């Protein structure tokens, strides 16, 4: 997905998240992030955009605590959120050298993709049943997620991911009207590809439903499961977003 599309996605889903939180109680608990009140969800999103922009411009800094974020008065949340997204887009668009990422030096666009996709998921947190996402972006969120889980460095960031290693067990994620994903659990971690090859278990359903199940925003039973259900439960237990 190119930088222009990702920038558009970041703008759109940041604004949509702002709209979904307008007029809501800042202390209301977020059902899909039950440890967070709404103000922390909003604060985390704007804080993350600004943190990533700072990395692109100046280099790495410690991962900030969402509870330390300061989104200000709820009446100003929309402007504050959109300013953070614009700052990240500007930082990436004016960068012409490799930057620090979780996985070593890489293009600045890494952070635009990572934060656009993270914002999509947090938009779902805020919007609940009203959430929607364009198919091309939903596919990129899922592919990005598998890419993160497959990277060996992720095990140091999220130790539970090591539990996804296996002995050849396979899972297939098969959306309506789109190519699926095939995952193999190996001793060295997961391997994945875009394919419809049969697997030990298949999760099938609408693309958005699969996205929300994979990111643990919806229960697994919201999609159709065919095959070894234990593999699904194990996957979700070791792949928290």
């Amino acid at each position: 997905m190119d930088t222009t599309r990702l920038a558009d996605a970041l703008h759109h889903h940041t604004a949509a998240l702002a709209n979904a939180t307008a007029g809501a109680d800042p202390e209301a608990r977020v059902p899909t992030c039950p440890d967070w009140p709404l103000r922390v969800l909003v604060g985390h999103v704007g804080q993350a955009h600004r943190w990533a922009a700072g990395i692109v411009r100046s280099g790495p800094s410690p991962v900030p605590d969402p509870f330390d974020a300061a989104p200000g008065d709820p009446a100003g949340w929309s402007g504050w959120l959109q300013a953070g997204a614009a700052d990240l887009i500007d930082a990436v668009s004016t960068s012409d050298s490799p930057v620090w990422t979780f996985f070593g030096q890489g293009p600045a666009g890494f952070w635009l993709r990572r934060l656009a996709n993270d914002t999509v998921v947090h938009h779902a947190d805020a919007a609940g049943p009203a959430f929607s996402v364009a198919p091309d972006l939903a596919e990129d969120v899922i592919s990005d997620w598998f890419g993160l889980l497959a990277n060996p460095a992720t095990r140091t960031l999220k130790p539970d991911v090591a539990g996804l290693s296996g002995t050849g067990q396979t899972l297939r994620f098969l959306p309506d009207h789109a190519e699926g994903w095939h995952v193999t659990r190996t001793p060295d971690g997961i391997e994945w590809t875009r394919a419809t090859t049969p697997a030990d278990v298949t999760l099938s359903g609408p693309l958005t439903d699969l996205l929300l199940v994979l990111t643990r925003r919806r229960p697994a039973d919201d999609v159709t499961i065919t095959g070894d259900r234990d593999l699904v439960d194990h996957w979700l237990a070791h792949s928290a977003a």
Side-chain angles (χ1 to χ4, degrees):
M1 186 170 286
D2 66 30
T3 299
T4 299
R5 177 70 182 98
L6 288 168
D8 288 344
L10 182 61
H11 271 309
H12 173 79
H13 285 275
T14 300
L17 187 154
N19 289 338
T21 60
D25 179 1
E27 299 304 322
R29 293 286 159 171
V30 180
T32 47
C33 300
D35 293 335
W36 286 5
L38 192 61
R39 61 176 172 77
V40 172
L41 175 69
V42 171
H44 164 68
V45 172
Q47 176 193 62
H49 294 167
R50 290 165 170 83
W51 174 68
I55 289 172
V56 172
R57 292 190 176 108
S58 306
S61 62
V63 177
D65 184 339
F67 281 85
D68 291 338
D73 188 278
W77 279 358
S78 179
W80 182 79
L81 283 166
Q82 294 186 69
D87 188 38
L88 175 55
I89 291 166
D90 177 71
V92 171
S93 67
T94 56
S95 174
D96 57 4
S97 58
V99 303
W100 179 86
T101 78
F102 296 126
F103 311 120
Q105 294 293 105
F110 169 91
W111 289 108
L112 183 57
R113 185 186 189 200
R114 184 80 287 280
L115 271 296
N117 291 341
D118 188 63
T119 303
V120 168
V121 176
H122 288 312
H123 172 205
D125 290 326
F131 170 74
S132 65
V133 58
D136 66 326
L137 186 57
E139 290 186 54
D140 193 63
V141 173
I142 293 173
S143 291
D144 185 35
W145 184 228
F146 287 139
L148 291 174
L149 293 176
N151 194 304
T154 301
R155 299 184 189 196
T156 64
L157 302 171
K158 294 178 175 288
D160 280 354
V161 169
L164 295 178
S165 299
T167 55
Q169 299 91 339
T170 55
L171 303 92
R172 178 172 61 168
F173 303 89
L174 189 60
D176 300 341
H177 314 300
E179 187 178 19
W181 293 262
H182 188 275
V183 175
T184 303
R185 292 173 50 196
T186 80
D188 295 324
I190 71 162
E191 297 176 355
W192 70 279
T193 186
R194 294 300 300 268
T196 55
T197 309
D200 296 321
V201 64
T202 296
L203 289 77
S204 57
L207 180 59
T208 299
D209 291 353
L210 284 173
L211 165 63
L212 295 175
V213 167
L214 277 166
T215 54
R216 307 202 322 175
R217 266 58 188 181
R218 295 264 292 274
D221 288 331
D222 279 8
V223 297
T224 300
I225 299 173
T226 307
D228 188 344
R229 171 59 188 258
D230 288 346
L231 286 178
V232 178
D233 294 338
H234 182 275
W235 176 274
L236 294 174
H238 291 85
S239 61

